[in-house]
Amino acid sequence: MATSTATASTDVLADVARERACAEAREVVAMLEFRDRELVRIGREESPMRRLVERGAIALCIGEALGLSEGQVQLRLSQADRVRDQSPLTWLAFLRGRVDWARVREIAHTLGELKRAESVHRLDRGVVDYASTHTVAELRQWLRRFVRRVEADLAVERADAEREKRHVSITHGDDSMGWLNAYLPSHELAAIEARYRRAARTGVDPDDDRTVSQREADQLVAWCLGSDAATSAVDANIAVTVDADVLAGARAGFAESSDGRWGVPAAWVAAVAGSGSSFWHRVVVDPVTDDVLSHEYLGRFAPDVLDIALQFLHGTCQAPGCMVPAERCDTDHRIPYPHGPTRGDNLGPLCRRHHTHKGHRVLHWSTRSTLEHILRKALNEPVLMEYAG
C-alpha cells in the first residue's frame, strides 16, 4: 500500500492524539464513577418514589456538568458499559490512549449486534490492532465485515428480514423541491449508482452547462419517467468477493463489495448472476497469495481487464485512510515503469491527489514481508497498513 513519509514532527501530532484519547477516557470514567456512586447513595433512600426520581436525575446532573443532553449522557454510559464489560482489551486500549472515543463508539455498536460469546471474544482479540492504525470510516467497514463473517447465519436472517421492508417514498419540501427515497438491497443500489454515474459522464454535449450532479439527477428522472433515455442500455461493473464454500452453498455467507461499503447475502447475488445480467464479472483470486493476474503485460499502460481486476481487488485508493473508490483512481506502478513491470503485483489504485503526492515523494509504496502477508491471509487477519519513515 502507499504510505506517507513520516517525519519527526509527526511524532508530536501522534502524542497530541494520544493525549486527547486519554482525556476522553478520563471523562468517560468520571461519568461512570459518578453514576455508580449516585446509584449506591440512592439505593439507601427509603422512599421508592424518591429513588426513582433521583435515578432519573443522574443523567441530567452529568449533562449539566459536561454540556451534554440527557440522551447523549445515557448513550455514552451504555456504550461505555458495554465495552468495559464485554471487550476488556478495547477498554484497556482506550484508557491508555491507543484508541479514541469515536472508535470505541463504533466497537460498542458492533458488540450490540453480536449474539454469541465466542464472536465477542474474537472481536476483542483482534479489533484494537486494526482500530489503532486505521481511520474511523475504515474501522466501521471492517466491523461490518466482521459481523457478516463470524455470525453469517444470523446476519443473513437480519438481511432477509430487512429486505421485506424495501420501499420507495416521496417527501415534498419547500421551494418546489422534494426528496425521492428508496430503501433497497445494497447490490441493487450499487448497480443503480454505477449506471447513473456512468451515464452522466459519457457522451456529454460540450454545450451542456449542467453540473455532473444535475446530469445524474436528470438521468434518474428520465429512467423513472420512461423517456427515450431509459431505452439506452448502460453497463455497470459491480465487484463482489465471495468465499468459495459460501458460493458453493456449503455455509451461509455474504458477497462483499470490493470497496467495503456494503455486503449482501451470497444467495441474492447468485440469483442476479443466474438471471443473465451482463454487469457481473467473476475474478478468481488465489486464497493464499492473493494473486489476481500473474501474466505480465508489455508496455506502460495496463489493459482494461487488468485495470478492472485491480479495482475489484483493492476497492479504494491505497493511500492511508483514503476512501476514494478504485474506479475513480489512476493505476499506479509501485516500482516506476520501465524499471517496474506492468503486472498485478506492481500496480495499485491511487486517486489523482495521492498520485500527485507520490510523484513529489510525499507518498511511497511499502509492503510487508511476503511470509507475514501469507500468514495473515491464512488466519483471516487484516494486513495492516505500514507507515514507513
Side-chain angles (χ1 to χ4, degrees):
M1 291 185 177
T3 62
S4 60
T5 302
T7 63
S9 61
T10 59
D11 293 338
V12 176
L13 298 176
D15 290 340
V16 171
R18 192 175 301 109
E19 291 170 2
R20 182 186 61 206
C22 288
E24 291 176 333
R26 289 195 298 271
E27 178 182 283
V28 172
V29 169
M31 293 169 63
L32 292 171
E33 291 177 346
F34 178 86
R35 180 205 59 186
D36 295 342
R37 286 195 304 269
E38 285 296 286
L39 287 175
V40 172
R41 180 187 65 78
I42 294 169
R44 294 194 289 265
E45 292 284 348
E46 295 182 359
S47 169
M49 180 59 68
R50 182 73 177 179
R51 289 197 298 268
L52 179 63
V53 171
E54 293 206 15
R55 277 198 298 267
I58 292 176
L60 177 61
C61 294
I62 296 175
E64 287 181 341
L66 299 178
L68 302 173
S69 69
E70 291 181 79
Q72 289 175 317
V73 170
Q74 291 167 349
L75 179 60
R76 292 192 187 192
L77 289 173
S78 66
Q79 292 170 334
D81 280 332
R82 184 177 295 155
V83 173
R84 184 179 62 175
D85 296 341
Q86 299 183 30
S87 186
L89 294 180
T90 301
W91 185 252
L92 181 61
F94 180 44
L95 297 179
R96 293 179 175 177
R98 287 191 63 193
V99 295
D100 59 11
W101 178 248
R103 290 166 174 80
V104 171
R105 185 173 59 241
E106 296 295 335
I107 295 169
H109 174 74
T110 300
L111 289 170
E113 290 188 330
L114 296 173
K115 305 303 179 184
R116 298 179 177 130
E118 175 55 33
S119 302
V120 173
H121 296 326
R122 184 173 174 182
L123 177 65
D124 189 35
R125 291 195 301 267
V127 70
V128 171
D129 284 341
Y130 190 92
S132 61
T133 55
H134 291 76
T135 66
V136 175
E138 290 173 324
L139 173 63
R140 186 179 301 117
Q141 292 182 358
W142 185 90
L143 290 169
R144 288 173 180 168
R145 292 195 297 270
F146 180 90
V147 173
R148 291 195 293 259
R149 288 179 179 273
V150 302
E151 293 188 352
D153 54 336
L154 300 179
V156 169
E157 290 178 4
R158 291 196 299 269
D160 286 334
E162 282 299 307
R163 195 178 189 184
E164 297 297 321
K165 302 176 185 177
R166 61 189 182 275
H167 65 274
V168 176
S169 64
I170 294 176
T171 304
H172 294 283
D174 298 330
D175 300 321
S176 305
M177 297 292 287
W179 294 96
L180 170 65
N181 304 296
Y183 190 59
L184 299 172
S186 290
H187 66 300
E188 294 177 352
L189 289 173
I192 293 171
E193 180 185 32
R195 289 190 66 189
Y196 74 65
R197 287 186 62 85
R198 179 169 178 176
R201 290 162 174 78
T202 303
V204 179
D205 189 332
D207 296 328
D208 190 342
D209 58 357
R210 294 175 298 169
T211 66
V212 172
S213 296
Q214 290 170 341
R215 290 199 298 270
E216 290 175 350
D218 293 345
Q219 184 66 62
L220 183 61
V221 170
W223 287 334
C224 290
L225 296 181
S227 69
D228 293 341
T231 63
S232 60
V234 180
D235 294 329
N237 290 318
I238 306 299
V240 294
T241 58
V242 187
D243 292 341
D245 53 349
V246 173
L247 189 62
R251 65 177 178 87
F254 279 73
E256 298 177 348
S257 68
S258 60
D259 60 8
R261 289 190 301 163
W262 55 270
V264 297
W268 296 8
V269 171
V272 174
S275 67
S277 175
S278 60
F279 62 81
W280 294 99
H281 292 255
R282 182 177 68 178
V283 178
V284 179
V285 180
D286 189 287
V288 177
T289 64
D290 233 8
D291 190 22
V292 178
L293 292 176
S294 58
H295 180 73
E296 182 175 341
Y297 295 88
L298 301 178
R300 177 178 180 181
F301 298 103
D304 291 344
V305 66
L306 180 56
D307 275 338
I308 293 174
L310 291 169
Q311 291 170 15
F312 289 3
L313 173 65
H314 296 291
T316 62
C317 170
Q318 293 298 281
C322 185
M323 305 299 288
V324 174
E327 62 267 21
R328 298 186 220 162
C329 295
D330 299 330
T331 300
D332 177 68
H333 287 74
R334 290 177 170 86
I335 302 174
Y337 181 83
H339 304 291
T342 301
R343 66 188 188 203
D345 60 357
N346 191 48
L347 296 171
L350 284 179
C351 70
R352 183 57 55 86
R353 184 167 68 92
H354 286 123
H355 198 173
T356 301
H357 287 178
K358 175 178 175 286
H360 289 278
R361 301 182 181 275
V362 178
L363 288 177
H364 66 276
W365 285 101
S366 177
T367 57
R368 289 181 179 269
S369 68
T370 302
L371 177 60
E372 180 179 0
H373 180 82
I374 292 175
L375 289 174
R376 285 187 175 274
K377 292 297 291 185
L379 294 172
N380 279 332
E381 293 181 357
V383 179
L384 300 179
M385 185 171 297
E386 177 180 294
Y387 289 81

